[in-house]
Amino acid sequence: GAGVSQTPSNKVTEKGKYVELRCDPISGHTALYWYRQSLGQGPEFLIYFQGTGAADDSGLPNDRFFAVRPEGSVSTLKIQRTERGDSAVYLCASSAGGTSGRAGEQFFGPGTRLTVL
Amino acid sequence: SQQGEEDPQALSIQEGENATMNCSYKTSINNLQWYRQNSGRGLVHLILIRSNEREKHSGRLRVTLDTSKKSSSLLITASRAADTASYFCATVGGTSYGKLTFGQGTILTVHP
């Protein structure tokens, strides 16, 4: 079946603009995660959804970042007033999850490369 | 913030040789996972080892976990050029909901 998809694959924007990044998880996966990866680094956790609710948003760097998952499937990461330091690859992952939280394998999308000029 | 460190940062070997990568972490974990990342296939899960396990095998992969030293190693035997990629360890903390905390990765280059 289809894997995790993310759109757009590349996004170039100007400092101060608003952007939305979309993630389509694997069908039936209840857990969805957003990570951010800078060049030469490992991915860093941003936010985790179990169903429609954000179970852990401790990784969001500041209040310019927000994410939603209104129907428990597709998720959108929203960044307001973008800054050059927001430039990175934004990765989405999903897993079968479960309320016990004992996560196993996560399936990652190809990422959205965000460049803020 | 990154959970731990990986060692070495870069590794270059010939096809057929074994590759060993090490990972250290700082806090208690529920499980530790290894992922591979290359430009062609993105980030792919390789193997998961739980905190009560000491060793696990999957094909040419062997993972060990020493919770007393807070360290893990990934061994790839009989390496192939196609194994060229970045390898990351990632931990799931004991009280987290499964979020992964990644190391900085090891860049492996296998020369044909």
Side-chain angles (χ1 to χ4, degrees):
Chain A
V4 178
S5 62
Q6 293 185 246
T7 54
S9 55
N10 279 284
K11 176 70 176 177
V12 180
T13 191
E14 294 180 342
K15 181 175 178 295
K17 299 290 188 182
Y18 168 83
V19 297
E20 289 190 352
L21 311 179
R22 177 188 167 108
C23 172
D24 264 286
I26 291 172
S27 178
H29 278 187
T30 58
L32 185 146
Y33 306 81
W34 284 98
Y35 297 86
R36 178 170 71 172
Q37 185 175 24
S38 300
L39 191 64
Q41 303 292 316
E44 289 190 296
F45 170 79
L46 295 176
I47 186 169
Y48 156 64
F49 287 90
Q50 180 60 43
T52 60
D56 183 351
D57 64 357
S58 61
L60 295 178
N62 52 58
D63 61 7
R64 295 187 298 105
F65 288 74
F66 189 70
V68 295
R69 195 186 185 198
E71 297 178 357
S73 177
V74 170
S75 176
T76 304
L77 178 66
K78 309 180 180 190
I79 310 174
Q80 298 177 320
R81 305 184 304 280
T82 52
E83 299 177 358
R84 291 194 181 87
D86 298 335
S87 296
V89 175
Y90 288 80
L91 297 167
C92 176
S94 71
S95 74
T99 54
S100 69
R102 297 297 179 246
E105 175 180 3
Q106 292 186 19
F107 296 83
F108 282 81
T112 293
R113 182 176 299 277
L114 175 66
T115 303
V116 182
L117 301 176
Chain B
S1 63
Q2 300 289 313
Q3 161 74 298
E5 298 177 359
E6 293 182 62
D7 166 49
Q9 291 186 338
L11 180 60
S12 182
I13 59 174
Q14 294 296 126
E15 216 168 20
E17 294 180 340
N18 296 341
T20 299
M21 289 161 269
N22 303 296
C23 164
S24 62
Y25 57 91
K26 297 174 184 173
T27 61
S28 64
I29 63 170
N30 176 269
N31 67 65
L32 184 146
Q33 304 177 33
W34 285 87
Y35 285 79
R36 179 179 65 205
Q37 185 176 43
N38 58 32
S39 58
R41 293 194 60 196
L43 203 61
V44 175
H45 179 270
L46 296 176
I47 194 165
L48 180 154
I49 186 165
R50 301 194 186 282
S51 60
N52 60 354
E53 297 176 313
R54 292 296 168 260
E55 187 171 314
K56 203 161 185 180
H57 297 254
S58 176
R60 293 185 296 114
L61 306 179
R62 172 178 169 253
V63 169
T64 62
L65 178 65
D66 187 334
T67 53
S68 66
K69 294 181 180 178
K70 291 187 169 59
S71 67
S72 173
S73 68
L74 171 68
L75 168 67
I76 305 174
T77 60
S79 63
R80 305 167 182 168
D83 295 329
T84 295
S86 293
Y87 290 80
F88 295 94
C89 69
T91 56
V92 175
T95 57
S96 77
Y97 284 97
K99 71 181 186 186
L100 294 169
T101 304
F102 284 84
Q104 294 192 328
T106 293
I107 301 171
L108 173 66
T109 304
V110 182
H111 299 281

